[in-house]
Amino acid sequence: MNSNMKNIPKLLPRCLAAALLISAAGGCAYFNSYYNAKKLYDSGTRSRQGFPDTLLASGAQATALQQAADKFAGVAASYPGSRWAALSLYYMGNCFFFTGQNEKALRKFQEVWQFYGQGKYAPLARMNSAVLNYKTGDYPAALTDIQFLRNGSGQQILRRISFLEAEVAQVSGDYAQAAILWQRFLFNHPKSELTVEARFKYAKVLIALGQHSQAVTELELLAGKRLPQTTGYQVKMLLAQSYQATGQPEKALRLYQSLLKKALPGTPQAALLDLLVCQIQAAAAADSSAVKLYLQLAQKHPHSLAASVA
């Protein structure tokens, strides 16, 4: 037997080890590339929250997202068969979306569901495509994306596309359809992270439809909750206006007065609340007392819109 043939059994373990080492090195290389891209992406999206998330990044965050997109592109191009390829394309789409590069973002989202349609990131990419189309005002395209996701998607995606569908109807001015969709959302998702916002939007739709009594019911449910300061103010202002529309000025007055106590003196917000209080009190007073109330308002806020109205 040839001496070289005799050495083959001895060489096989070494060759196999070398092949495994090369394979591991390649795997480490694309993981490291992905890891570095993801670190940049996380730094560029750290303060983002809510749904639908359509705010544009700026400054250092926008720079980090552009750098992340470049690195994700390298992973997707160099290792298209790796487990990180679809994820890199998905994050690239987000990077472009959050920096206002909408056409590039749509292309990347499309690549995810076209080339990796059976993977778990395809529905996420399609949902973000729907959000992007909603943001740019292409409502038919957004609804097409939503329709595509109705079957086979997870609960979080189904919840979010239901919210987005109602939002599209509302911004399109189809208040009757929006009311149906918001009501359905609240019935199906009574305790989700989107419930407060959905109920507030539903109340706005009811007001637009002239259904003020029903709006009062929805807003009272919100007013009793612990809400962020800005949201709480908006809810109580809308509730007070709805009280007035349903012939309950006393309840509206109490709400305006409670908000006035928390407003900073001398601010436009304080002047507006003073005006609203004055209007309700003047409507219930004699003519001479009403004039006195308006004069006092003008003296308290001499350079405000409230003074010009008074």
Side-chain angles (χ1 to χ4, degrees):
M1 182 183 293
N2 189 297
S3 60
N4 290 334
M5 295 291 290
K6 292 180 180 179
N7 290 329
I8 286 179
K10 298 179 181 179
L11 292 173
L12 280 175
R14 297 179 187 177
C15 293
L16 180 59
L20 290 172
L21 185 61
I22 291 170
S23 175
C28 288
Y30 69 68
F31 174 76
N32 286 338
S33 298
Y34 169 82
Y35 175 77
N36 291 332
K38 187 61 165 55
K39 279 185 66 176
L40 285 166
Y41 177 85
D42 289 343
S43 70
T45 58
R46 191 166 290 120
S47 61
R48 306 190 73 89
Q49 57 184 350
F51 179 86
D53 183 359
T54 59
L55 294 176
L56 284 179
S58 60
Q61 289 186 329
T63 301
L65 288 172
Q66 187 57 59
Q67 292 173 345
D70 293 340
K71 290 186 178 294
F72 282 130
V75 175
S78 300
Y79 311 102
S82 76
R83 59 181 294 194
W84 310 108
L87 193 51
S88 294
L89 289 172
Y90 169 72
Y91 282 129
M92 277 180 72
N94 286 349
C95 290
F96 292 140
F97 183 15
F98 297 152
T99 53
Q101 302 176 71
N102 296 331
E103 290 186 5
K104 286 184 177 181
L106 277 177
R107 283 200 298 272
K108 293 306 162 188
F109 292 145
Q110 289 167 359
E111 287 174 19
V112 175
W113 76 67
Q114 286 174 355
F115 301 132
Y116 304 94
Q118 301 305 311
K120 63 180 180 179
Y121 295 102
L124 290 171
R126 193 90 197 208
M127 181 178 70
N128 283 7
S129 174
V131 173
L132 195 158
N133 284 318
Y134 153 76
K135 176 191 173 183
T136 58
D138 191 349
Y139 302 136
L143 292 174
T144 297
D145 289 329
I146 288 169
Q147 184 64 35
F148 186 87
L149 289 166
R150 288 193 192 283
N151 298 319
S153 297
Q155 284 302 309
Q156 184 185 53
I157 288 179
L158 290 174
R159 182 167 64 250
R160 291 189 168 192
I161 63 171
S162 296
F163 184 97
L164 188 61
E165 184 179 18
E167 176 77 356
V168 167
Q170 185 167 349
V171 299
S172 301
D174 189 351
Y175 297 126
Q177 179 66 8
I180 293 170
L181 293 172
W182 284 128
Q183 189 175 36
R184 182 185 302 163
F185 178 90
L186 292 168
F187 179 80
N188 291 330
H189 312 287
K191 296 182 179 180
S192 84
E193 76 282 5
L194 299 171
T195 298
V196 167
E197 189 175 358
R199 194 174 300 282
F200 185 53
K201 289 177 180 291
Y202 180 38
K204 285 184 172 181
V205 167
L206 292 171
I207 291 170
L209 292 170
Q211 300 175 24
H212 297 282
S213 295
Q214 197 171 344
V216 165
T217 300
E218 298 300 327
L219 290 166
E220 283 180 337
L221 288 172
L222 289 176
K225 295 180 178 293
R226 295 184 64 179
L227 301 172
Q229 185 174 354
T230 300
T231 304
Y233 175 81
Q234 293 173 341
V235 166
K236 289 178 180 178
M237 285 290 286
L238 203 59
L239 177 56
Q241 293 164 20
S242 299
Y243 280 146
Q244 289 182 273
T246 54
Q248 303 178 78
E250 301 84 1
K251 288 186 176 182
L253 179 61
R254 286 196 295 271
L255 260 183
Y256 288 139
Q257 288 173 330
S258 70
L259 291 171
L260 184 56
K261 289 179 181 178
K262 299 176 183 178
L264 291 174
T267 60
Q269 184 186 77
L272 172 62
L273 289 165
D274 261 327
L275 173 62
L276 294 169
V277 168
C278 181
Q279 287 175 332
I280 294 176
Q281 291 175 332
D287 289 347
S288 58
S289 298
V291 170
K292 185 178 179 180
L293 286 168
Y294 280 117
L295 287 174
Q296 290 172 344
L297 176 67
Q299 291 172 354
K300 186 176 180 181
H301 304 284
H303 305 295
S304 68
L305 177 62
S308 65
V309 173

